[in-house]
Amino acid sequence: MKLLYTALFALTLAACGGSKTIYQDNNINDKKLDKLIRDYSANPADTSIANQLRFAYEYLLGQRMVPINQLQFSSSLQDKEKLLNAYIDLQAFYDKVRSYSAVSKLLQPSSVGTEIEKTKLDLVSGHYENALNLLEENNWKSSREAYQSLTKIQQWMPGYKDSKKLLQQARESGTIIAVVLPLHAEGIYYSSTNSGSGLRYAGNRLSEQLVIDLGGSYASSGWYKAYNTYELNNKQISPDWSIDPVWTQLSINEPRYSNREEVRQKQIEVGKDTANKPIYKTVTATLKITTATYDAYGTLELRIADYANKKNIDRMSWSDKHASTQSWATYTGEAGALSNADWELIHAKQNNRPDQFYAEDRLLEKIYPNLLRYVRNQLNN
């Protein structure tokens, strides 16, 4: 009835004409209420300001009650948190009004302190029960969800029951122990059974770099600890996940050749004239330059699996290419016209095809940033 009376009063004033007032305002907000509060505090006998203040206050109070009325019977933890925040906002609204004695006497603000404490306890106890149920499932994913609930408890009611102890438990059980296996080509592991230490080195190098960039066993910024196979065996740790990088394609095409000719000219001193000034002669040479382009193609697949249960979790692949060039030359004409760089081309090896490890390194340089980002996201998901 109070809100209805105020609205009717506002319509009556608006019908009488005059300057625009709060009753005709389609955008009543806290800033405008604050101005009315200041105006009324300075002129408490002004009935016009008092009526506008009462109207704006009840309008904004009604806005704050809308989410409370919508959420107060919901059993959802998300809705309970929204309700708690709505009550806290409403209490701050009341407290602001109460801080001005004349305004407080006029508007008689209430309090929702009891509702705040009750809602807070309902929210915290709900998160506590949710965390206990999730921890009973005894897997990393449920433990991470439990951690989120226990973090909410620390936010709203630190020290509730044994929530701090459970928080640490959830953090530990939600941490994935991941082993990064040596890089290998499809069906051929880089191991001691292959031809030479170069293959072993290439395979282990990626896994070691990936473990380092993930933070290794001391990683503190994520939900995981990463090991290579040597560390894992040495510490006798049982992993949760295996991360298996595999070349499913790695090839270097036959070279593409291109030829060009470049003319070199240089003036060289060939003697002195009668005035003892140098005499120059222009010498010329023609370079015939051959350039071979080698295109390397690679597709690297990363396979993530549940190590204990031998189940696939996810996989992703990246494809890229790298072109490397080699040039060499022959010449005709006079050698004196050639530069040091020209002689390097003339003495360069011909058809010096890059080996697999060179191609692999260049391709990995392109693929690795995306691979690392993907692994981090999967481990923290």
Side-chain angles (χ1 to χ4, degrees):
M1 284 298 294
K2 189 174 182 181
L3 280 171
L4 179 61
Y5 167 78
T6 305
L8 290 172
F9 180 71
L11 289 172
T12 302
L13 286 181
C16 294
S19 60
K20 185 176 180 180
T21 65
I22 196 72
Y23 313 113
Q24 298 162 295
D25 195 335
N26 294 323
N27 185 30
I28 300 173
N29 54 40
D30 283 13
K31 186 176 180 180
K32 293 174 182 176
L33 176 67
D34 291 343
K35 183 178 184 305
L36 286 169
I37 287 175
R38 292 193 299 271
D39 291 346
Y40 181 77
S41 297
N43 302 283
D46 191 323
T47 56
S48 175
I49 296 176
N51 288 328
Q52 291 186 68
L53 175 58
R54 188 181 291 109
F55 180 83
Y57 170 77
E58 292 181 355
Y59 176 84
L60 293 173
L61 176 59
Q63 282 190 325
R64 283 170 165 81
M65 287 303 300
V66 170
I68 291 174
N69 292 333
Q70 291 174 340
L71 297 167
Q72 60 184 338
F73 299 112
S74 173
S75 59
S76 160
L77 290 176
Q78 290 83 357
D79 285 348
K80 285 182 184 294
E81 185 165 8
K82 291 178 184 177
L83 178 62
L84 177 55
N85 284 319
Y87 274 132
I88 290 172
D89 177 63
L90 179 57
Q91 186 61 49
F93 181 71
Y94 285 146
D95 290 343
K96 177 174 67 175
V97 172
R98 191 176 290 108
S99 65
Y100 297 86
S101 58
V103 176
S104 181
K105 184 176 180 182
L106 174 70
L107 300 178
Q108 298 292 306
S110 184
S111 174
V112 287
T114 301
E115 287 82 355
I116 288 174
E117 292 308 311
K118 180 182 181 302
T119 306
K120 188 182 293 185
L121 184 59
D122 285 347
L123 175 64
V124 166
S125 61
H127 274 298
Y128 184 82
E129 290 302 318
N130 184 54
L132 288 179
N133 292 334
L134 288 167
L135 287 172
E136 284 183 1
E137 295 181 20
N138 195 31
N139 64 69
W140 64 268
K141 193 167 187 177
S142 296
S143 294
R144 292 184 184 185
E145 292 177 21
Y147 185 88
Q148 299 306 316
S149 274
L150 292 161
T151 300
K152 290 291 185 183
I153 294 174
Q154 302 312 308
Q155 175 185 345
W156 294 113
M157 200 173 289
Y160 179 78
K161 295 187 177 180
D162 58 345
S163 60
K164 284 187 177 180
K165 178 182 177 182
L166 292 177
L167 186 72
Q168 181 62 31
Q169 178 184 332
R171 179 72 190 186
E172 292 174 359
S173 55
T175 298
I176 292 172
I177 304 299
V179 57
V180 182
L181 302 177
L183 171 65
H184 60 100
E186 192 74 74
I188 306 173
Y189 269 87
Y190 292 126
S191 69
S192 57
T193 61
N194 292 118
S195 56
S197 60
L199 290 171
R200 289 201 306 277
Y201 176 68
N204 289 326
R205 184 175 52 188
L206 175 68
S207 65
E208 289 169 2
Q209 187 62 54
L210 192 54
V211 167
I212 290 170
D213 290 338
L214 289 171
S217 59
Y218 300 99
S220 57
S221 59
W223 281 93
Y224 59 85
K225 294 185 183 300
Y227 297 85
N228 58 41
T229 52
Y230 173 79
E231 291 177 307
L232 200 76
N233 294 332
N234 190 47
K235 295 181 179 180
Q236 297 183 333
I237 297 172
S238 178
D240 302 303
W241 284 14
S242 63
I243 298 172
D244 187 13
V246 184
W247 284 117
T248 56
Q249 179 198 10
L250 185 60
S251 61
I252 304 174
N253 287 356
E254 290 300 314
R256 295 179 284 112
Y257 294 103
S258 63
N259 297 285
R260 69 184 189 275
E261 290 188 357
E262 295 182 5
V263 176
R264 303 285 191 260
Q265 285 188 337
K266 185 186 293 185
Q267 290 211 331
I268 61 173
E269 185 178 342
V270 294
K272 305 282 187 181
D273 64 11
T274 55
N276 201 34
K277 292 181 179 180
I279 300 172
Y280 292 98
K281 173 188 175 183
T282 300
V283 292
T284 303
T286 301
L287 274 181
K288 296 180 179 180
I289 302 171
T290 300
T291 298
T293 301
Y294 300 89
D295 295 313
Y297 297 88
T299 299
L300 181 65
E301 184 171 284
L302 198 72
R303 301 166 182 174
I304 300 177
D306 182 321
Y307 190 86
N309 298 314
K310 306 300 180 185
K311 292 182 179 179
N312 292 329
I313 294 173
D314 200 16
R315 63 174 58 194
M316 179 67 73
S317 64
W318 300 268
S319 296
D320 220 314
K321 63 180 180 179
H322 174 76
S324 60
T325 60
Q326 294 175 355
S327 298
W328 59 89
T330 60
Y331 81 96
T332 57
E334 297 174 276
L338 301 174
S339 67
N340 290 337
D342 295 334
W343 284 111
E344 287 180 7
L345 280 174
I346 293 166
H347 293 132
K349 289 183 179 181
Q350 298 185 15
N351 290 306
N352 188 24
R353 181 188 180 93
D355 62 23
Q356 176 182 333
F357 304 115
Y358 174 85
E360 184 177 29
D361 284 346
R362 301 293 78 76
L363 290 167
L364 280 175
E365 286 172 1
K366 295 183 175 183
I367 292 171
Y368 185 76
N370 290 327
L371 182 150
L372 175 61
R373 190 179 305 113
Y374 167 77
V375 173
R376 277 202 183 114
N377 289 339
Q378 289 297 311
L379 289 168
N380 283 320
N381 190 5

